[in-house]
């Protein structure tokens, strides 16, 4: 009987090769489907992203600063200084727009072009403003050019970091987009907007007199730059950094490593300088003391950013 069954099965296999092929192909497909089911389910799930309304608002504010700067150069001077004061707010909105849909790699070229346009617009306008003056301030022109060059590399880093963030798992990316980007980002904007509104109010009341408002605008730019740096650290450095410090380590100033101690010390000095600037800001010209505090704070920004 066993010989008969084996003979029949062999003959069926010979007479019906298509049946054997179908059976083997079904086994392969079923096996591959079993392996790809998690990936397929993850792809079918809607990717985490911020709504288009928020994206549109952030996009418009991102480009508002350099548009106002060039409008001021071509038409009215007041718009130029308003645009300068709006740079930290605009860049904060630009960063939020950059991270509003981090898993969408098709937007990378579009985002990169917008960042380059904003960089050239924000720094090209001050260069044009200085060149239009009767006496050119060469150190200022060099400083603006260096700032544009550094900002370009910062934007390049942000785009590269966005690519890494987009590769997070679905659950981690969901938590990052809705809690870290949206809640932290929107929560950081009121302080930036409030400080910027003080400068704008002074400029409008004084018909664009930069000297009368520099006592407000200079500290405002320094403080807003600090808030912008903290936002970048929260959105990029903390999620991607391999070194995570606990509150106990920071409080005790122990087990931080040399780099961590330098960063914490620079952060403390930066915070003290900007606190002093906030306490002395007011209408009138910016004093040498303000410029010194801003210089120390700027050195701390650079140290933290490049370490």
């Amino acid at each position: 009987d066993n010989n008969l069954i084996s003979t029949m099965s062999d003959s069926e296999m010979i007479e019906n090769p298509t049946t054997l092929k179908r059976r083997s192909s079904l086994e392969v497909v079923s096996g591959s489907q079993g392996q790809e089911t998690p990936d397929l389910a993850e792809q079918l799930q809607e990717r985490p992203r911020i709504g288009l309304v928020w994206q549109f608002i952030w996009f418009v504010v991102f480009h508002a600063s350099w548009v106002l700067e060039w409008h001021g150069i071509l038409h009215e001077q007041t718009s130029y200084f308003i645009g300068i004061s709006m740079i930290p707010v605009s860049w904060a909105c630009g960063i939020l727009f950059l991270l509003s849909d981090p898993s969408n790699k098709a937007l990378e070229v579009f985002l990169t072009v917008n960042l380059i346009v904003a960089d050239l617009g924000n720094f090209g306008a001050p260069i044009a403003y200085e060149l239009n003056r009767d006496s050119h301030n060469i150190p200022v022109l060099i400083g603006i050019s260096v700032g544009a060059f550094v900002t370009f590399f910062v934007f390049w880093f942000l785009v590269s970091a966005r690519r890494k963030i987009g590769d997070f798992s679905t659950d981690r990316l969901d938590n990052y987009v809705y809690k870290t980007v949206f809640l932290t980002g929107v929560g950081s904007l009121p302080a930036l907007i409030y400080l910027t509104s003080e400068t704008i109010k002074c400029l409008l009341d004084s018909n664009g007199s930069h000297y009368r408002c520099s006592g407000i605008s200079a500290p405002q730019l320094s403080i807003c730059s600090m808030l912008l740096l903290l936002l970048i650290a929260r959105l990029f450095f903390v999620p991607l950094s391999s070194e995570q410090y606990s509150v106990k380590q920071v409080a005790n100033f122990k087990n931080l490593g040399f780099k961590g101690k330098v960063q914490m010390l620079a952060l403390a000095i930066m915070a003290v300088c900007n606190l002093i600037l906030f306490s002395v800001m007011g209408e009138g010209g910016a004093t040498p003391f303000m410029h010194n505090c801003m210089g120390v704070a700027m050195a701390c920004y650079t140290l933290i950013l490049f370490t």
Side-chain angles (χ1 to χ4, degrees):
D1 294 338
N2 292 332
N3 294 332
L4 178 61
I5 292 174
S6 62
T7 304
M8 290 178 62
S9 61
D10 293 340
S11 63
E12 287 177 355
M13 291 170 61
I14 295 173
E15 293 176 0
N16 301 297
T18 56
T19 304
L20 179 61
K21 290 181 180 179
R22 290 175 182 174
R23 188 178 303 167
S24 61
S25 62
L26 286 173
E27 290 175 355
V28 173
V29 171
S30 62
S32 62
Q33 285 180 347
Q35 295 175 355
E36 296 180 357
T37 299
D39 296 336
L40 182 60
E42 187 173 347
Q43 292 175 3
L44 292 176
Q45 186 176 356
E46 183 179 0
R47 67 176 185 267
R49 60 177 178 176
I50 307 298
L52 293 178
V53 174
W54 289 104
Q55 291 187 37
F56 177 75
I57 294 173
W58 293 337
F59 179 80
V60 171
V61 178
F62 176 45
H63 289 285
S65 60
W66 70 266
V67 171
L68 287 171
E69 288 178 44
W70 281 102
H71 178 270
I73 291 176
L74 299 175
H75 299 285
E76 186 183 4
Q77 186 175 355
T78 304
S79 299
Y80 170 76
F81 293 111
I82 291 176
I84 292 291
S85 67
M86 285 186 60
I87 289 178
V89 178
S90 294
W91 287 2
C93 290
I95 291 171
L96 296 178
F97 177 71
L98 180 71
L99 296 173
S100 59
D101 191 4
S103 61
N104 189 353
K105 299 185 184 301
L107 289 176
E108 188 168 310
V109 175
F110 173 76
L111 294 171
T112 303
V113 171
N114 277 271
L115 290 174
I116 293 174
V117 168
D119 184 29
L120 295 176
N122 282 131
F123 287 96
I127 291 175
Y129 178 80
E130 286 295 327
L131 293 177
N132 287 334
R133 299 176 64 179
D134 295 333
S135 58
H136 304 326
N137 194 331
I138 302 301
V140 171
L141 290 172
I142 294 175
I144 295 171
S145 302
V146 172
F149 187 73
V150 172
T151 304
F152 173 79
F153 279 97
V154 171
F155 284 163
W156 174 81
F157 163 78
L158 297 182
V159 173
S160 301
R162 176 188 179 272
R163 193 179 302 121
K164 296 179 180 179
I165 292 171
D167 293 332
F168 285 173
S169 63
T170 303
D171 293 337
R172 186 182 179 189
L173 189 62
D174 185 89
N175 182 76
Y176 176 82
V177 170
Y178 296 120
K179 292 185 179 180
T180 303
V181 174
F182 186 74
L183 293 182
T184 303
V186 173
S188 67
L189 292 179
L192 291 168
I193 294 173
Y194 170 75
L195 292 168
T196 304
S197 65
E198 290 293 315
T199 300
I200 294 175
K201 180 178 180 298
C202 179
L203 289 170
L204 293 177
D205 292 341
S206 62
N207 295 322
S209 175
H210 174 61
Y211 176 78
R212 178 182 169 185
C213 298
S214 61
I216 297 177
S217 62
Q220 174 255 321
L221 284 173
S222 180
I223 299 170
C224 289
S225 297
M226 180 186 70
L227 297 177
L228 178 63
L229 179 63
L230 294 176
L231 178 64
I232 293 175
R234 180 66 184 90
L235 296 181
F236 291 95
F237 291 105
V238 173
L240 296 175
S241 177
S242 58
E243 299 179 2
Q244 300 291 335
Y245 302 127
S246 64
V247 178
K248 183 178 179 180
Q249 287 177 304
V250 176
N252 294 330
F253 208 70
K254 294 181 180 179
N255 301 323
L256 297 177
F258 178 75
K259 184 176 75 172
K261 290 180 179 179
V262 170
Q263 289 176 340
M264 293 301 167
L265 185 61
L267 181 63
I269 296 174
M270 177 182 65
V272 171
C273 289
N274 283 300
L275 182 62
I276 294 173
L277 287 171
F278 181 76
S279 65
V280 299
M281 65 186 298
E283 289 190 14
T287 63
F289 176 74
M290 289 182 179
H291 289 300
N292 292 334
C293 286
M294 289 179 63
V296 175
M298 186 62 65
C300 293
Y301 300 152
T302 307
L303 184 62
I304 294 174
L305 195 60
F306 288 96
T307 55

